[in-house]
């Protein structure tokens, strides 16, 4: 393959070199977090983290561990830059989105450091394309201060059961309300739209419920517009963990298997909607 | 009202909602002793559909509750846009839904539709409704001179030849032949349109009765939902019709359900009766018979007077209310066993009453004592209490 014949000398100028035999293992994951144009890339010896934020209220992170890459070389403890995610995805799909089975686009992603563009070498069927994408100063991602010790309620569900619910959500509702409780309805998604309200209840003993750990009843509302992009990550995933902490902050973690069966994670953090009024909360019929 | 449907019934119910969504933007839910009726009417009041599910269709069916003393069962009107999404994906419903409960409760003014799905998952929808009087159209299909009955498959195959965008078609019946052709308004662009016509021998139908040769033109789009429903249930479809201008009724039934679609047909210009209602002006551009593309169509044995009937339109069944009120109003007079178009009376009513109350006036053409005992309306509900007529007011 042409990409592998690059000389060793070239590599020394790069602080980060990451190669994938199948670029889809990266592009599919990035599609799950593309709700804004810009993404913050943060690479450490552990792997790559890509962060997208919206109005400081929503943050999505995609994690690709170093082991997923065929080659992952990093010459510094931490490398960070910001790129236009839409442009990056266009480049990763430069040979066309749907390839014939067995044919994949190989990727070699290289970064020389601060001030340099992100260079992508993409190859498919003997044709090589070189893309250079301008990088920007990486912004500091919001620290949602979401730590496991503050988690009050946690459930892990098989994505299959949630996918349908999310695709049916009443989009005329401004908020998505999540209720987690040790007593019925256990885990409930609610919408309040123009034609009425809807509730999706998942009992704790459902065989879709892999883990149910709820200590106290919590009901929180989140802006529907913020959570809607997470549907893409849900669609790719096989399992999802839903956690809320004492402040009502929401963490959604999606376990995604890539084309080669390797596991990657996408995580969404969301702030609760501030305008919740206690008297609005609907009770069970 | 509280009823429970099991798995397959939910899919059938959903299909009925789909069919009704092709007709109008609102869905009437009428729980009755005879069963639960779902009805819809289009804005021009030229198409009406009713799906009646008998109590046997449900796992459980009960009307009202003890606490609602003195309160009759509620008839409610829902917005189609809020109901259709619940039944949008029928394959997913088939796969996942084990049971569905529908109840209408007074304290909340909500219709509750609850789906009990696999894996213990429950989906509850509380929909706002408007309390409304029942919507009904009275149609004495047994008085129709022309009757066809065929498997849904046959009718489906007939309409399959017409593009999905085709608005109106014309059904012609003669003792020798039944034909279906598309219908375009406006003679000017006849050269740009493709004309399709297909004919069948009366023997192809399970039942064929012809009382009057006719060409009736009606809206195809509104019918497709019923045909799809009938095909999925493998039910035969009955078509009751008369002369042009009289409504045509398509119906299916089995042991536990009945479905009817009543469509207005274009008025035959030779028998043009009522003038326009004052508040609803309609296109009256006369179209010259010369616009008829006689040359591009196969010459057939159709009578010459049919040609001007086709082309000189008052209005399409899709749009103008002129035809519709008169057509539907004619129904009333039909039940008096009068063959003559009692046009003048209808005319007066048509000019003074808005279409909505026209429908209402049909409602109250209940099974009154004037009618013979052997007059049985095939599908449609009726309120036998005469005094109810006075207290009801038109649907806003």
């Amino acid at each position: 393959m042409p990409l592998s014949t690059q000389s060793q000398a070239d590599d020394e100028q790069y602080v980060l070199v990451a190669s994938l035999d199948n670029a889809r293992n990266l592009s599919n994951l990035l599609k799950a977090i593309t709700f804004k144009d810009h993404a913050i890339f943060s690479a450490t010896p552990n792997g790559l983290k890509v962060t997208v934020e919206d109005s400081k209220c929503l943050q999505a992170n995609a994690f690709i561990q170093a082991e997923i890459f065929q080659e992952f070389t990093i010459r510094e403890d931490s490398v960070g830059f910001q790129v236009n995610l839409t442009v990056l995805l266009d480049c990763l799909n430069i040979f066309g989105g749907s390839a014939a089975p067995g044919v994949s686009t190989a990727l070699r992603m290289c970064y020389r450091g601060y001030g340099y563009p992100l260079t992508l070498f993409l190859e498919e069927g003997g044709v090589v394309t070189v893309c250079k994408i301008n990088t920007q100063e990486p912004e500091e991602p919001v620290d949602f201060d979401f730590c496991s010790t503050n988690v009050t309620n946690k459930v892990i569900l098989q994505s299959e059961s949630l996918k349908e619910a999310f695709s049916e959500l009443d989009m005329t509702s401004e908020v998505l309300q999540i209720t987690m409780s040790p007593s019925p309805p256990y885990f409930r998604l609610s919408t309040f739209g123009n034609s009425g309200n809807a509730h999706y209840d998942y009992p704790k003993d459902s065989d879709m419920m892999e883990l149910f750990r709820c200590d106290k009843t919590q009901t929180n509302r989140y802006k529907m517009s913020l959570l809607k992009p997470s549907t893409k990550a849900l669609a790719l995933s096989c399992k999802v963990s839903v956690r809320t902490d004492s402040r009502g902050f929401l963490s959604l973690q999606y376990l995604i298997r890539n084309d080669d069966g390797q596991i990657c994670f996408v995580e969404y953090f969301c702030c609760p909607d501030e305008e919740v009024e206690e008297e609005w909360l609907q009770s069970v019929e | 009202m509280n009823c429970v449907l099991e798995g397959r019934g939910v899919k059938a119910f959903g299909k009925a909602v789909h069919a009704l969504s092709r007709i109008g933007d609102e869905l009437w839910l009428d729980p009755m002793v005879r069963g639960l009726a779902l009805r819809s009417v289009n804005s021009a009041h030229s198409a009406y559909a009713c799906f009646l599910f008998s109590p046997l269709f449900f796992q459980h069916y009960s009307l009202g509750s003890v606490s609602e003393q003195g309160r009759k069962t509620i008839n409610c009107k829902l917005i189609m846009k809020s109901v259709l999404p619940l039944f949008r994906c029928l394959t997913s419903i088939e796969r996942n839904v084990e049971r569905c409960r529908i109840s209408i409760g007074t304290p909340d003014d909500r219709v509750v539709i609850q789906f009990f799905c696999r894996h213990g998952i429950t989906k509850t929808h509380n929909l706002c409704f408007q309390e409304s009087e029942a919507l009904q159209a009275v149609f004495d299909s047994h008085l129709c001179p022309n009757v066809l009955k065929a498997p849904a498959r046959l009718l489906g195959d007939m309409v399959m030849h017409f593009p999905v965008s085709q608005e109106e078609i014309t059904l012609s019946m003669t003792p020798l032949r039944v034909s279906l052709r598309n219908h375009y308004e406006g003679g000017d662009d006849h050269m740009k349109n493709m004309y399709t016509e297909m004919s069948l021998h009366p023997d192809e139908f399970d039942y064929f009765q012809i009382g009057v040769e006719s060409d009736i033109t009606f809206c195809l789009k509104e019918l497709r939902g019923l045909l799809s429903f009938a095909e999925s249930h493998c039910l035969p479809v009955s078509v009751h019709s008369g002369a042009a201008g009289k409504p045509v009724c398509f119906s299916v039934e089995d042991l536990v359900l009945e479905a009817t679609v009543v469509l207005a047909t274009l008025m035959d210009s030779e028998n043009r009766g009522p003038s326009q209602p004052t508040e609803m002006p309609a296109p009256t551009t006369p179209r010259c018979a010369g616009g008829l593309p006689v040359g591009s169509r196969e010459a057939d044995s159709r009578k010459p007077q049919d040609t001007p009937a086709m082309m000189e339109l008052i209005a399409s069944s899709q749009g103008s209310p002129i035809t519709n009120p008169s057509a539907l109003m004619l129904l009333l007079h039909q039940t008096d066993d009068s063959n003559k178009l009692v046009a003048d009376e209808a005319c007066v009513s048509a000019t003074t009453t808005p279409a909505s109350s026209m429908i209402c006036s049909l409602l109250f053409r209940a099974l009154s004592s004037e009618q013979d005992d052997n007059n049985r309306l095939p599908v449609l509900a009726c309120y036998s209490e005469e005094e109810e007529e006075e207290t009801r007011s038109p649907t806003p």
Side-chain angles (χ1 to χ4, degrees):
Chain A
M1 282 206 317
L3 292 183
S4 61
T5 59
Q6 275 197 325
S7 65
Q8 200 59 25
D10 286 344
D11 276 8
E12 274 165 18
Q13 2 168 353
Y14 297 118
V15 298
L16 173 67
V17 176
S19 297
L20 280 173
D21 286 344
N22 183 357
R24 269 202 301 269
N25 287 342
L26 178 63
S27 60
N28 279 349
L29 219 59
L30 294 181
K31 275 189 225 167
I33 60 169
T34 311
F35 49 88
K36 283 283 171 190
D37 275 342
H38 291 272
I40 304 160
F41 275 68
S42 162
T44 67
N46 288 334
L48 188 63
K49 178 170 104 161
V50 184
T51 305
V52 179
E53 288 186 336
D54 184 359
S55 57
K56 306 282 182 212
C57 295
L58 179 77
Q59 182 184 92
N61 297 295
F63 298 92
I64 309 115
Q65 295 136 286
E67 293 77 40
I68 307 279
F69 294 92
Q70 272 66 60
E71 180 197 348
F72 193 85
T73 309
I74 183 166
R75 291 184 194 280
E76 283 170 22
D77 287 338
S78 155
V79 173
F81 52 86
Q82 189 167 301
V83 287
N84 185 314
L85 191 55
T86 317
V87 170
L88 173 62
L89 275 174
D90 284 346
C91 294
L92 291 175
N93 287 311
I94 205 155
F95 289 103
S98 51
V103 178
S104 59
T105 308
L107 164 72
R108 187 181 168 85
M109 190 163 69
C110 309
Y111 181 61
R112 253 194 230 188
Y114 185 82
Y116 288 92
L118 178 68
T119 307
L120 306 177
F121 297 90
L122 294 138
E123 183 266 336
E124 187 178 295
V127 177
V128 181
T129 306
V130 182
C131 306
K132 289 195 174 153
I133 307 173
N134 285 340
T135 57
Q136 289 106 36
E137 186 88 39
E139 285 171 14
E140 193 62 42
V142 173
D143 180 5
F144 279 72
D145 196 23
F146 195 99
C147 56
S148 327
T149 44
N150 278 344
V151 169
T152 47
N153 291 325
K154 174 176 179 170
V155 304
I156 297 183
L157 283 160
Q158 288 193 25
S159 301
E160 189 195 318
S161 56
L162 269 185
K163 279 176 197 174
E164 211 187 282
F166 266 77
S167 65
E168 288 173 8
L169 284 180
D170 181 2
M171 294 313 292
T172 63
S173 171
E174 282 194 13
V175 295
L176 176 66
Q177 178 172 289
I178 301 182
T179 303
M180 293 169 81
S181 168
S183 49
Y186 302 115
F187 182 76
R188 167 180 277 194
L189 302 173
S190 307
T191 56
F192 307 92
N194 292 340
S195 42
N197 54 47
H199 305 291
Y200 293 80
D201 296 342
Y202 296 79
K204 66 175 181 183
D205 53 359
S206 164
D207 48 355
M208 287 279 124
M209 188 73 75
E210 291 213 351
L211 180 93
F212 185 87
R213 214 161 51 212
C214 294
D215 298 326
K216 77 176 215 183
T217 303
Q218 260 192 317
T219 301
N220 291 296
R221 292 185 173 196
Y222 307 92
K223 281 208 166 20
M224 186 70 87
S225 54
L226 289 179
L227 284 186
K228 196 63 183 152
S230 69
T231 316
K232 281 193 231 167
L234 180 64
L236 289 175
S237 67
C238 43
K239 279 189 216 185
V240 55
S241 110
V242 182
R243 300 178 301 164
T244 49
D245 71 3
S246 48
R247 305 163 299 169
F249 278 62
L250 176 70
S251 150
L252 298 166
Q253 291 174 317
Y254 302 93
L255 192 155
I256 296 170
R257 280 192 196 278
N258 66 14
D259 284 359
D260 301 313
Q262 297 160 307
I263 291 175
C264 303
F265 287 95
V266 167
E267 181 173 50
Y268 272 77
F269 288 114
C270 190
C271 299
D273 192 25
E274 287 302 314
E275 290 133 34
V276 175
E277 310 277 356
E278 281 305 313
E279 56 264 28
W280 284 9
L281 296 177
Q282 308 272 338
S283 56
V284 179
E285 250 54 44
Chain B
M1 191 276 300
N2 186 19
C3 64
V4 177
L5 295 154
E6 53 79 36
R8 272 170 308 135
V10 186
K11 190 177 176 189
F13 195 87
K15 255 204 145 344
V17 174
H18 278 243
L20 288 160
S21 68
R22 306 261 195 148
I23 304 274
D25 294 330
E26 288 168 327
L27 180 67
W28 272 258
L29 266 190
D30 294 330
M32 306 177 292
V33 173
R34 301 207 295 140
L36 179 64
L38 272 65
R39 300 191 173 104
S40 189
V41 69
N42 70 356
S43 51
H45 288 192
S46 60
Y48 160 90
C50 173
F51 281 73
L52 177 67
F53 296 94
S54 91
L56 297 172
F57 178 78
F58 303 91
Q59 255 183 357
H60 168 81
Y61 183 80
S62 69
L63 292 176
S65 68
V66 181
S67 59
E68 294 160 46
Q69 283 148 7
R71 256 207 109 146
K72 307 187 302 266
T73 5
I74 301 158
N75 301 310
C76 54
K77 187 167 75 161
L78 295 165
I79 309 230
M80 192 65 78
K81 264 202 313 223
S82 58
V83 185
L84 186 60
L86 274 49
F87 297 94
R88 174 157 289 139
C89 187
L90 293 172
T91 39
S92 141
I93 284 184
E94 196 176 14
R95 212 177 39 228
N96 291 326
V97 177
E98 288 169 358
R99 244 167 46 249
C100 170
R101 184 177 78 97
I102 302 174
S103 62
I104 305 175
T106 27
D108 296 343
D109 282 340
R110 302 282 171 133
V111 169
V112 182
I113 301 181
Q114 225 172 358
F115 295 97
F116 298 92
C117 307
R118 282 191 318 169
H119 311 298
I121 298 167
T122 308
K123 299 180 190 177
T124 309
H125 298 268
N126 302 304
L127 304 174
C128 305
F129 70 85
Q130 247 185 310
E131 205 171 320
S132 159
E133 75 233 30
L135 167 79
Q136 308 171 61
V138 174
F139 181 76
D140 279 340
S141 57
H142 70 284
L143 290 179
C144 286
N146 298 339
V147 182
L148 286 176
K149 194 165 173 179
R153 184 80 244 170
L154 180 73
L155 288 178
D157 285 348
M158 283 170 81
V159 304
M160 185 180 73
H161 296 283
F162 301 95
V164 174
S165 58
Q166 181 66 41
E167 298 248 342
E168 287 153 349
I169 54 173
T170 302
L171 174 70
S172 289
M173 285 180 72
T174 73
L176 300 174
R177 195 200 49 170
V178 173
S179 75
L180 210 55
R181 61 182 180 273
N182 55 0
H183 172 77
Y184 288 105
E185 261 187 84
D188 296 327
D189 21 318
H190 68 266
M191 292 308 289
K192 297 181 197 159
N193 298 322
M194 183 172 77
Y195 287 85
T196 305
E197 179 170 354
M198 62 166 310
S199 301
L200 291 177
H201 192 274
D203 288 350
E204 303 246 17
F205 295 87
D206 292 349
Y207 180 81
F208 177 84
Q209 170 191 305
I210 181 154
V212 50
E213 289 192 16
S214 66
D215 287 350
I216 53 170
T217 302
F218 53 86
C219 185
L220 175 60
K221 278 187 178 177
E222 287 156 347
L223 177 61
R224 285 191 192 268
L226 179 74
L227 291 183
S228 165
F229 182 90
E231 265 189 82
S232 65
H233 284 77
C234 302
L235 292 171
V237 180
S238 300
V239 186
H240 291 83
S241 64
K246 301 265 176 74
V248 56
C249 172
F250 297 85
S251 56
V252 298
E253 66 180 342
D254 77 1
L255 292 172
V256 295
L257 60 89
E258 301 168 358
T260 313
V261 171
V262 181
L263 302 174
T265 63
L266 287 180
M267 184 69 103
D268 181 0
S269 68
E270 291 189 344
N271 293 334
R272 187 201 301 231
S275 60
Q276 311 166 32
T278 44
E279 63 261 79
M280 285 170 292
T284 51
T285 328
R287 290 162 186 92
C288 56
L292 180 68
V294 175
S296 60
R297 216 184 283 204
E298 269 187 81
D300 54 25
S301 55
R302 221 167 340 117
K303 297 194 178 102
Q305 75 228 34
D306 291 346
T307 308
M310 276 287 296
M311 292 314 293
E312 195 158 351
L313 308 172
I314 298 175
S316 89
S317 60
Q318 186 72 4
S320 166
I322 301 177
T323 307
N324 314 321
S326 59
L328 293 170
M329 280 301 287
L330 288 170
L331 290 176
L332 289 180
H333 300 283
Q334 213 175 355
T335 59
D336 293 343
D337 256 334
S338 160
N339 286 331
K340 190 161 66 83
L341 291 177
V342 190
D344 296 328
E345 258 188 65
C347 176
V348 169
S349 320
T351 47
T352 54
T353 343
S356 55
S357 61
M358 204 82 68
I359 286 280
C360 293
S361 62
L362 290 175
L363 296 182
F364 314 126
R365 184 65 185 166
L367 285 180
S368 65
S369 49
E370 302 166 45
Q371 290 195 324
D372 301 342
D373 288 337
N374 58 3
N375 278 3
R376 274 180 312 107
L377 296 179
V379 185
L380 308 165
C382 50
Y383 282 75
S384 52
E385 285 90 315
E386 297 275 352
E387 48 273 19
E388 278 177 28
E389 293 183 4
E390 278 71 53
T391 56
R392 291 189 189 268
S393 55
T395 313

